[in-house]
Amino acid sequence: MICFSDNTIQSIFCCCCCCCSVQKRQVRTQFSLSKDEELSEKHPQHRRPWFSELPRTKQHHRSCVQPSTRKPLPPLPPSEDTEKKIYVKALYDFLPREPCNLALKRGEEYLILEKYNPHWWKARDHFRNEGLIPSNYVTENKLTNLEIYDWYHRNITRNQAERLLKQESKEGAFIVRDSRHLGLFTISMFVRARRSTHATIKHYQIKCNNSGQYYVAEKHLFQSIPELIHYHQHNAAGLMTRLRYPVGPMGSCLPATAGFSYEKWEIDPSELSFVKEIGSGQFGVVHLGEWRAHIQVAIKAINEGSMSQEDFIEEAKVMTKLTHSRLVQLYGVCIQHKPLYIVTEFMENGSLLSYLRERKGKLRKEMLLSMCQDVCEGMEYLEKNSFIHRDLAARNCLVNSACLVKISDFGMTRYVLDDEYISSSGAKFPVKWSPPEVFHFNKYSSKSDVWSFGVLMWEVFTEGKMPFENKSNLQVVEAISKGVRLYRPHLAPMSIYEVMYSCWHEVSVPNFLQSLADPSSDGRPDYYKHYPKTPSWQDKVSVSWW
Ligand code: ADP
């Protein structure tokens, strides 16, 4: 029996991916306990040939050969040297930016010599050249790691998969992606119906039976997903056509790196060129520009007196190290120059708010949901890194050329020098995105970010409406305090509205004040205890689709 998801797979999305990742880890553990892996773990190859011409499967078997007539020798003790070696495969090309960098060529293998920090590693290529590489450009080169296969896309939604395959527009073009069913995988494939020009995208869920075998057609079972894909690349065996062309993520834009190089947060202004003005905001004008004439960047020129610059520069050193596919990367700052320049990743489609408004009526609900999911992933990363956004809203998210949404301006309100913006009674204070403890007591936390996330979901599902459209900030404070909440956008089914609504649990003022006075709290109010029901990014938020 073939399971395909066009209509039959119930779509579920995990708003915050922690649960998914737990499930994925479990699945990967299962892979590594497949028979071949067990053997290779028991009998590690002690002298792994560098860049051997042998296909990996052969290497594998060779390491498992036992002398047949003699009593098998006990396995050799693992040598310190080989035990720790990490081999990686480049997912993207990387051109050296500094003399200390090493060039990466997509698909090639490298040996990791040292991890300088989570983002920059020292590596050696097969010519024995050594240098620093961005860690997000490589992945561990082992057969059980799906990322080494050019058909696997980790961070892609059903919607994005369909768009990618339609662009390719080739019979049998396919990808494998993480399914919305936690811990499972889906094959998405471009097919044309027989005797028709009409093309469709089929989604086949890869199932796993009780013995840990994978299948899309029950008759054909495999120990691992790569084996299953390999088989169906040669045999349709129940699929509409065989899997003909893997569509890799490689064509997509190169990911941003944590700074242009290791510990490089200060940028030389002579290496920047300005292309055109693309916007202006609280701090000043934003330009599209280029760094060293080949990397597109956004350059924000900070108006004199609009920011407490020294504090920001200190923080910028930390912020360049916040790297995630759903955060707008801060590359660095030009501090030797007036005005101060902040250099970030360039996002081709501008702010999420204008993106939604300009495409009113044209975005499918799946797309709206996947935008919320993008933001949720970025926020989960920020919280894990103990970073509070403080001004999460659609206007502070940006959209790139692949229509991925990324969070921008995180933490920046701390450096604004404008009373209208800082003071909760100021006209520019984002009251409509703030929970009561923020507009009453200036108490920011990841929980207050959760409240703002609920409002952002509402903005997305109203295609960019202003929350509490006809109310002043003061009226909103009164309304929220009385328990009034934003209404359900007509594009949001009940299940989606429940998620946004659950972000708006109020901590009551008496409870909050009581927690301030609580002697057991050691002077520090444990006000989170009044938030028992507010979902955090780590909670599992599964939404049944309409
Ligand atoms: P501020 O933080 O000073 O208020 P914003 O970050 O909101 O300024 O930027 C103002 C506008 O500039 C945005 O609405 C967007 O249109 C454009 N912009 C800002 N940063 C980028 C970027 N990284 N890529 C593309 N456009 C950007």
Side-chain angles (χ1 to χ4, degrees):
M1 188 185 83
I2 305 284
C3 307
F4 58 90
S5 71
D6 240 2
N7 300 309
T8 54
I9 288 183
Q10 184 201 1
S11 303
I12 286 181
F13 106 96
C14 174
C15 209
C16 51
C17 278
C18 80
C19 210
C20 292
S21 57
V22 170
Q23 296 265 355
K24 276 176 221 155
R25 263 201 301 275
Q26 284 169 348
V27 170
R28 290 197 176 136
T29 312
Q30 253 171 0
F31 296 159
S32 69
L33 288 180
S34 75
K35 271 192 181 145
D36 284 357
E37 276 298 293
E38 266 178 59
L39 288 173
S40 71
E41 266 168 27
K42 280 187 200 149
H43 306 278
Q45 293 164 264
H46 290 276
R47 281 199 171 272
R48 181 181 162 148
W50 248 113
F51 300 93
S52 158
E53 293 303 318
L54 277 174
R56 273 173 189 277
T57 44
K58 284 192 186 158
Q59 291 174 23
H60 221 77
H61 289 143
R62 215 172 40 162
S63 71
C64 304
V65 172
Q66 300 285 329
S68 56
T69 50
R70 279 185 284 157
K71 195 177 155 202
L73 293 171
L76 287 171
S79 106
E80 278 275 302
D81 212 31
T82 46
E83 188 72 353
K84 285 188 192 137
K85 279 189 175 168
I86 299 172
Y87 291 86
V88 294
K89 190 172 189 176
L91 296 168
Y92 309 92
D93 289 344
F94 173 70
L95 292 174
R97 296 166 183 172
E98 302 290 333
C100 65
N101 290 145
L102 175 72
L104 292 177
K105 194 159 170 33
R106 178 163 78 83
E108 299 236 320
E109 191 180 52
Y110 300 81
L111 172 66
I112 298 304
L113 302 172
E114 199 178 335
K115 294 185 174 178
Y116 277 31
N117 69 20
H119 313 295
W120 291 95
W121 297 348
K122 188 173 178 187
R124 182 189 291 160
D125 67 15
H126 63 289
F127 300 112
R128 302 192 73 80
N129 299 313
E130 294 179 3
L132 294 179
I133 58 162
S135 61
N136 56 339
Y137 275 49
V138 295
T139 190
E140 193 166 356
N141 197 10
K142 53 179 189 177
L143 291 171
T144 50
N145 177 7
L146 291 190
E147 280 190 311
I148 68 169
Y149 300 94
D150 54 3
W151 34 256
Y152 178 62
H153 294 241
R154 185 156 50 98
N155 272 326
I156 192 170
T157 61
R158 178 190 173 108
N159 215 28
Q160 289 159 346
E162 293 193 350
R163 203 154 356 112
L164 185 75
L165 291 169
K166 278 179 192 156
Q167 267 167 23
E168 203 67 20
S169 196
K170 273 188 193 160
E171 177 76 358
F174 76 100
I175 64 150
V176 177
R177 60 185 172 87
D178 295 348
S179 161
R180 280 176 183 156
H181 285 263
L182 309 182
L184 296 182
F185 298 89
T186 300
I187 301 171
S188 300
M189 179 166 65
F190 182 95
V191 278
R192 251 179 246 287
R194 256 191 214 130
R195 287 189 289 277
S196 153
T197 49
H198 182 67
T200 97
I201 309 291
K202 285 279 168 206
H203 302 274
Y204 298 93
Q205 196 174 79
I206 300 177
K207 302 254 175 180
C208 187
N209 68 16
N210 290 341
S211 2
Q213 292 169 306
Y214 296 93
Y215 63 94
V216 279
E218 261 171 336
K219 276 199 290 192
H220 306 285
L221 300 166
F222 303 91
Q223 293 303 326
S224 70
I225 290 177
E227 285 172 65
L228 177 149
I229 297 300
H230 182 78
Y231 177 80
H232 285 288
Q233 283 183 292
H234 297 91
N235 308 280
L239 309 186
M240 279 186 73
T241 172
R242 71 182 171 86
L243 305 173
R244 287 166 195 266
Y245 303 101
V247 179
M250 313 302 186
S252 57
C253 30
L254 294 179
T257 53
F260 287 125
S261 189
Y262 175 63
E263 292 294 335
K264 184 177 166 63
W265 58 268
E266 189 180 342
I267 292 173
D268 179 350
S270 70
E271 296 184 332
L272 292 174
S273 53
F274 288 75
V275 177
K276 62 172 182 186
E277 192 176 313
I278 48 175
S280 72
Q282 180 67 28
F283 293 119
V285 176
V286 185
H287 279 88
L288 162 64
E290 281 174 348
W291 181 74
R292 291 196 187 159
H294 73 283
I295 297 184
Q296 281 198 322
V297 290
I299 308 168
K300 205 180 269 188
I302 305 300
N303 289 339
E304 196 76 31
S306 66
M307 172 191 265
S308 55
Q309 298 196 2
E310 264 122 66
D311 294 345
F312 170 70
I313 289 165
E314 270 315 297
E315 180 69 0
K317 295 175 194 170
V318 177
M319 283 161 71
T320 50
K321 291 181 185 150
L322 290 172
T323 297
H324 188 273
S325 61
R326 300 302 188 264
L327 294 189
V328 175
Q329 181 65 46
L330 172 65
Y331 285 127
V333 282
C334 298
I335 55 173
Q336 310 296 355
H337 188 273
K338 287 234 155 56
L340 178 95
Y341 292 149
I342 299 179
V343 181
T344 64
E345 177 181 0
F346 172 63
M347 300 286 288
E348 294 80 356
N349 275 312
S351 94
L352 172 59
L353 187 59
S354 52
Y355 187 88
L356 290 164
R357 288 178 178 172
E358 283 158 16
R359 288 161 185 76
K360 209 168 169 48
K362 295 194 183 120
L363 295 170
R364 290 167 57 198
K365 290 175 189 171
E366 287 87 347
M367 180 67 185
L368 301 179
L369 186 57
S370 101
M371 288 173 150
C372 297
Q373 196 179 14
D374 286 343
V375 177
C376 202
E377 280 178 32
M379 289 308 298
E380 187 196 12
Y381 174 85
L382 284 184
E383 188 184 356
K384 272 194 189 141
N385 284 277
S386 309
F387 202 98
I388 305 170
H389 191 300
R390 290 178 156 85
D391 195 8
L392 181 61
R395 64 182 172 279
N396 285 330
C397 294
L398 296 164
V399 185
N400 74 3
S401 57
C403 300
L404 287 184
V405 179
K406 303 194 185 196
I407 301 162
S408 176
D409 288 331
F410 31 94
M412 292 304 286
T413 52
R414 289 169 299 165
Y415 310 106
V416 175
L417 295 176
D418 177 350
D419 280 346
E420 288 298 307
Y421 195 92
I422 308 166
S423 157
S424 58
S425 54
K428 294 185 196 162
F429 190 90
V431 167
K432 296 174 176 180
W433 285 261
S434 303
E437 74 276 10
V438 164
F439 56 64
H440 285 310
F441 306 107
N442 253 326
K443 176 77 192 170
Y444 290 93
S445 63
S446 295
K447 301 283 182 187
S448 58
D449 280 349
V450 171
W451 181 292
S452 312
F453 173 70
V455 183
L456 181 143
M457 281 185 79
W458 187 91
E459 290 181 277
V460 169
F461 277 90
T462 55
E463 301 172 295
K465 277 203 172 138
M466 169 60 98
F468 304 105
E469 220 165 0
N470 303 316
K471 285 193 167 73
S472 68
N473 279 355
L474 197 63
Q475 287 170 325
V476 171
V477 169
E478 281 168 11
I480 291 290
S481 307
K482 281 189 205 147
V484 176
R485 296 294 183 263
L486 288 162
Y487 60 86
R488 178 167 75 87
H490 76 271
L491 289 176
M494 205 52 204
S495 52
I496 298 285
Y497 186 56
E498 273 166 13
V499 175
M500 63 178 91
Y501 199 92
S502 69
C503 297
W504 303 322
H505 281 288
E506 187 180 357
V507 48
S508 74
V509 173
N511 277 349
F512 182 68
L513 293 176
Q514 190 192 334
S515 76
L516 285 172
D518 184 355
S520 66
S521 71
D522 200 19
R524 276 168 292 153
D526 174 16
Y527 97 121
Y528 293 128
K529 69 184 175 196
H530 300 297
Y531 262 123
K533 288 189 212 138
T534 305
S536 79
W537 322 111
Q538 276 83 34
D539 292 335
K540 176 174 167 287
V541 184
S542 291
V543 183
S544 307
W545 203 235
W546 40 81

